Structures are given as C-alpha cells and as structure tokens.
Amino acid sequence: EPEVTQTPSHQVTQMGQEVILRCVPISNHLYFYWYRQILGQKVEFLVSFYNNEISEKSEIFDDQFSVERPDGSNFTLKIRSTKLEDSAMYFCASSEVQGAGSPLHFGNGTRLTVT
Amino acid sequence: GQQVMQIPQYQHVQEGEDFTTYCNSSTTLSNIQWYKQRPGGHPVFLIQLVKSGEVKKQKRLTFQFGEAKKNSSLHITATQTTDVGTYFCAGRTGTASKLTFGTGTRLQVTL
C-alpha cells in the first residue's frame, strides 16, 4: 500500500537555526498538509497546500514557517528561526481529493527537538 | 475559531468491557472523520460520516454522527488489548480544506 514518507525521523537543532522537514506524499494525491503534535496533546493543523499554493493556514503558521513543493514529489516545511516551543512531532499528510470523501494519509512524522 | 472537544480525555478498561468516546464541535460540520493513533505512531484513518444521524459499523466499532452534525461518538464493544491508542475525531466545515482534530481520548486496555 502506498505510504507518505517523512525524513528525517528525528531532528535536533539549536534555537534560532533553520530546519527543513521533508515529505514525499502518495504519488497520485493532490492535497498536502502539515500538522504538528506536541507530546501527548492534540494534532494541530498548520497548513494545507494545493496546486502549488497554500489553501489554508492556521495562526501557528506565521512568517517563520513556509512550505514548498520544489519538484514533482517532495513537499517541505521550513522553519526559519526555530524556537523552543517549536519542539513537537511534525506530521505530513496527503489526500487524493479535498473535502468530503477524503481521508488524510499521514507519514510517520519527524520529531523536532529545539535546544 | 472552531473547537472540537472529546470526552473523556483518558479511559482505562479491562479487556472485554465496552468503551465510548464523545466528540463535540463548536460549529456545524460538513463531515466527520475518526482516526486512531497507536502509542508512538501516526494517526490512521478509521471512517468518515457525512449524513446527519448516520451510523456506521466496523466489526466491534460503531460510529454515530449527530442529527445537528455537531457531535459524534465512537463505541467499541468488548475491547481488546489491540484497541489501545488515542482516538481522535476530526471535522471539516463547509468546503474548507482544514481538518480540525479533536482533543483525543486515550484508551488503555488491560487483561
């Protein structure tokens, strides 16, 4: 069964550094998402992306965050200057269509630790 | 903004007992989905409900969507240790792409 793959599985970075989290969505999917989950808490929406542009973003997704689909397969999340509170598990997800009838397929996540 | 709350936060049952988690949204939903997240894992899609009052079953799991499309429930009959994990409801409003997750219910099952 096709999967969403994320790399790296764990990233440790110092406060103020830039990080790029990478995702390869399922190949025939058109909608891409980033969510994050602080340990033991709920899954929080960051951004959705379709047709090479952001569809929606949350209040968390401020100017420090950006997303890109640099080629036909990768989908990246960049955090320009990391803060301690950015430490979380970051999940990429993709879906075939949008809205009703569209489950999200999640990757295994990247655990980001900011020290 | 939209809030989706679940109760209880945590439930510990003995194997064979039933379990129910309730999901309440502050706004009317166009559809609701349920996901299961095993410890250390990622959310995995279980089911989607679209129609008001809809009930769907998957083996020992029964899912219900409220008449007003603002609440939902997941009931597990005769829990097994493989049911351990956190169950999240997640809803969309209108044609929005954003899927808002509930606060989750963590289920622990012991023998």
Side-chain angles (χ1 to χ4, degrees):
Chain A
E1 189 176 314
E3 290 183 338
V4 174
T5 55
Q6 289 186 244
T7 54
S9 56
H10 192 187
Q11 173 97 47
V12 181
T13 189
Q14 289 200 321
M15 198 167 51
Q17 295 296 304
E18 175 184 285
V19 292
I20 297 177
L21 310 183
R22 301 180 194 280
C23 169
V24 179
I26 295 172
S27 62
N28 64 331
H29 285 188
L30 300 177
Y31 297 86
F32 314 118
Y33 310 82
W34 283 101
Y35 281 81
R36 78 172 186 192
Q37 186 177 34
I38 293 168
L39 187 63
Q41 297 186 27
K42 70 174 184 176
V43 181
E44 295 178 293
F45 172 80
L46 293 178
V47 67
S48 57
F49 189 87
Y50 168 70
N51 201 25
N52 281 319
E53 58 183 32
I54 291 173
S55 304
E56 274 186 88
K57 58 183 181 178
S58 71
E59 314 77 51
I60 303 167
F61 195 90
D62 62 22
D63 292 344
Q64 293 301 310
F65 290 85
S66 62
V67 288
E68 202 177 29
R69 189 154 162 82
D71 53 42
S73 59
N74 290 286
F75 179 51
T76 61
L77 173 69
K78 184 196 289 188
I79 309 176
R80 261 179 271 284
S81 177
T82 49
K83 306 185 191 86
L84 294 175
E85 54 264 37
D86 293 327
S87 295
M89 181 71 92
Y90 287 79
F91 289 108
C92 172
S94 67
S95 64
E96 199 170 351
V97 295
Q98 180 177 289
S102 175
L104 267 55
H105 297 257
F106 284 84
N108 288 332
T110 293
R111 179 168 298 286
L112 176 65
T113 303
V114 183
T115 61
Chain B
Q2 182 192 16
Q3 291 190 27
V4 183
M5 305 295 290
Q6 285 181 251
I7 53 169
Q9 257 188 309
Y10 171 73
Q11 181 130 31
H12 183 180
V13 299
Q14 299 242 302
E15 192 178 47
E17 291 181 336
D18 291 357
F19 160 77
T20 304
T21 170
Y22 299 92
C23 170
N24 289 287
S25 169
S26 59
T27 57
T28 303
L29 301 170
S30 55
N31 61 83
I32 195 150
Q33 299 178 359
W34 284 90
Y35 290 78
K36 177 183 177 181
Q37 184 178 28
R38 288 206 156 96
H42 58 277
V44 174
F45 174 77
L46 294 175
I47 207 158
Q48 174 168 268
L49 303 166
V50 178
K51 297 176 190 169
S52 168
E54 190 171 8
V55 177
K56 285 189 177 179
K57 293 193 177 196
Q58 274 181 358
K59 296 183 184 176
R60 295 177 295 103
L61 278 59
T62 303
F63 303 84
Q64 201 159 9
F65 200 9
E67 294 290 340
K69 299 182 81 172
K70 292 181 76 173
N71 56 68
S72 181
S73 64
L74 157 60
H75 179 82
I76 303 178
T77 304
T79 53
Q80 300 174 357
T81 53
T82 50
D83 295 326
V84 163
T86 301
Y87 292 85
F88 291 98
C89 62
R92 282 193 175 94
T93 54
T95 56
S97 61
K98 169 180 168 181
L99 187 66
T100 299
F101 277 70
T103 47
T105 296
R106 186 159 72 92
L107 173 64
Q108 180 64 29
V109 181
T110 50
L111 294 169

